[in-house]
Each structure stands twice: as structure tokens, then as C-alpha cells.
Amino acid sequence: MKNGFDGKKRRRLAKAESFFFFCFLTGLVLAVFFAASPAEAAFVEEAPRIPIPLLQLGVVPADSPQDVAVSLQILALLTVLTLAPAILLMLTSFTRIVVVLGFIQRAIGLQQSPPQQTIVSLALFLALFTMYPTWNRIYENALAPYLAKEIDSPRAWTETITPLREFMFRYTRQEELSLMVSMANLERPENREEVPTRVLIPAFMLSELKTAFQMGVVIYIPFIIVDMIVSSVLLAMGMMMLPPMMISLPFKILLFVMADGWNLVVVSLLKSFTNVP
């Protein structure tokens, strides 16, 4: 019992000594800090002040109408660059191509192979390939003369939108166009020139999506047959706990490779656009 009490006293004394030693060190540091003489502080040079410029925001008046025109052209260019991805999706063959390539990836059962960046890049270059006649016509009739100052901006816009409208009319179904005309509360147009571009663009996109889904269904059929055969064989063998996807995936990849699937799909996509050179 005595040894137990002695141990407690020693621990208490050790804690007390540690506390007093910490207080002594703290007081010593504070004393040194506050004991700095004014003479030593005089040698400390004052840090140089950094001048802060005053920003005055305001509207600078244009010196001439040409300055206003240049500013508006820059604003229009920045707007077009901002909307470039949407324009690429709406006015070109990109929508059909990227949807069909996505169907291939999902029909086989590969979620991350090929990567999505590869699918989008392939769709982008195929869209550039199919749209080459249209872009070439726009460059020759609109961009090059406008840069050479042979035509004005309204004429350049007309020469730009006309080939795009012809391309979209070529692949827009009558059902989708009638739907968008009725939704816009417009009278039935007598010819193509009376169809507004704001009505033609969504109709074209709906037609492209419909065509892409039709091609996707055709792509899905052989892979569904492979899945059904593998599932029936596994069920007949009593392997109900084994996922059929695990067994059918190598067979679907082998079928796609042996049938030269990528070439068949790409050729079908390119032939679906009749203006490809």
C-alpha cells in the first residue's frame, strides 16, 4: 500500500514539475519579446509601399463607325466560337454518326472500350469527311470572297446558310418537318424558301436521330442472337449462376472482328449520305 501511495505522489510531482517548467519557458519567451529596446527597433527599415493603380471603368466612345463595326465583328466571332459545338451537332452529320457508333459500343457490351473520346473523335472526322463538299462550297462562295472584300456580310451569310439548308433538306423527313411547322404555328409553306431555318434545324435533328436509331436496331440484332444462344446453352447446362454476359462477350467481339464490323459500319454511314465524294 505504501508503495502505491509513493507512486501516485511521484506522478503528481512529475506533472507539477512539468507544468512549472512550461510556465517558466513561456514567461522567458515573453520577457525577451517585450524587452526589445527602441534603439534596436530604429534599425528596422520601413517596408516600401507598393502603389496601387486606380482602375476607372467606363465606356470609351468610338471615334468612327468603322470602330463600331470592328467591335461588332469581334463580338459575332466570339459568339460563333462559343456556339461552335452546338452548330456542329445541329447542322452536320455528326449526330447520326456518333449515335450509331455509340450503339455499337453498347450492343457488344463494352462500356469503356473503345473510350468515349475515341468514339467522338472518329465521329468528328467522319462528319468532316461527309461534310467536305458543303464546307468547300461555303468556302468558295462565301468565306473566300468575303475575306477578299468582294461581297458584303449579308451576301456572305446568304451564301453560307444556303448550302447548309440544302444539306439539311436532303436528309429531313417530311413527318418531322410537318411536325415542327405545326408546332411553330406557321402556314403550310409552298416551297423550301418559305421554311424558316429555326424550324428546319430541329426537324433535321429529329430526322437524324430517327435514322440513327433505325441503324442501331439493325446493329443490335446479331448481338442479341448471340446473347440468346449463350443464355439458352447455359440454362440447358444448369449453369444458372453464371452471368451470360461474361460468356457471350468474347463471342460477340469475335463475331464483330471476323465480320470486319468497323468497316461495314463506317461504309454504311458514309453511303447513307449521298453527297459524299
Side-chain angles (χ1 to χ4, degrees):
M1 295 293 293
K2 186 175 181 180
N3 293 332
F5 283 112
D6 291 341
K8 291 181 179 180
K9 290 181 179 180
R10 284 195 295 270
R11 286 194 294 270
R12 291 177 182 177
L13 290 175
K15 292 181 180 179
E17 290 176 357
S18 300
F19 176 74
F20 286 119
F21 182 72
F22 175 75
C23 293
F24 173 74
L25 288 180
T26 304
L28 182 61
V29 171
L30 293 176
V32 171
F33 178 77
F34 288 107
S37 61
E40 295 177 355
F43 289 99
V44 180
E45 297 181 357
E46 184 179 0
R49 296 182 180 179
I50 302 176
I52 301 176
L54 297 178
L55 299 178
Q56 296 181 357
L57 300 178
V59 179
V60 179
D63 297 333
S64 62
Q66 288 77 8
D67 296 339
V68 178
V70 172
S71 301
L72 293 178
Q73 289 176 2
I74 294 175
L75 179 61
L77 178 61
L78 293 177
T79 304
V80 171
L81 292 178
T82 304
L83 299 177
I87 295 174
L88 177 65
L89 292 176
M90 291 187 295
L91 306 182
T92 66
S93 57
F94 180 82
T95 302
R96 182 191 305 186
I97 296 174
V98 73
V99 171
V100 172
L101 295 180
F103 267 106
I104 296 174
Q105 190 180 33
R106 289 166 179 81
I108 298 176
L110 299 173
Q111 301 299 327
Q112 301 296 332
S113 180
Q116 194 65 28
Q117 293 83 355
T118 305
I119 296 295
V120 174
S121 300
L122 179 60
L124 177 61
F125 283 101
L126 289 177
L128 293 176
F129 182 81
T130 57
M131 294 296 297
Y132 173 77
T134 304
W135 295 133
N136 188 40
R137 181 179 171 186
I138 292 174
Y139 176 78
E140 293 179 353
N141 299 335
L143 183 59
Y146 178 74
L147 295 178
K149 297 182 180 180
E150 298 176 359
I151 58 176
D152 54 359
S153 299
R155 177 67 182 280
W157 168 252
T158 303
E159 294 294 338
T160 300
I161 198 64
T162 300
L164 290 176
R165 285 174 56 90
E166 292 179 0
F167 175 82
M168 289 186 288
F169 271 118
R170 189 179 298 115
Y171 302 106
T172 302
R173 289 183 171 85
Q174 187 67 31
E175 296 82 3
E176 281 74 16
L177 188 58
S178 301
L179 173 64
M180 298 310 302
V181 169
S182 62
M183 295 300 295
N185 296 325
L186 299 176
E187 296 182 358
R188 183 176 180 179
E190 298 295 333
N191 48 41
R192 292 183 175 183
E193 286 73 17
E194 296 182 0
V195 178
T197 305
R198 63 183 178 88
V199 174
L200 177 60
I201 291 176
F204 169 73
M205 292 193 66
L206 290 175
S207 300
E208 288 293 286
L209 288 175
K210 185 175 182 179
T211 304
F213 272 73
Q214 290 176 352
M215 298 179 69
V217 170
V218 176
I219 292 173
Y220 252 98
I221 292 176
F223 299 108
I224 291 177
I225 294 175
V226 173
D227 287 333
M228 293 177 61
I229 294 175
V230 172
S231 300
S232 301
V233 172
L234 292 178
L235 185 62
M237 296 176 63
M239 298 181 179
M240 293 178 292
M241 302 300 295
L242 185 63
M245 181 63 67
M246 184 182 301
I247 305 300
S248 63
L249 180 59
F251 289 98
K252 290 190 290 186
I253 296 176
L254 182 62
L255 174 65
F256 190 74
V257 172
M258 293 182 62
D260 203 3
W262 287 113
N263 288 345
L264 292 176
V265 173
V266 169
V267 170
S268 300
L269 284 171
L270 295 181
K271 286 186 176 181
S272 64
F273 298 97
T274 57
N275 67 329
V276 177

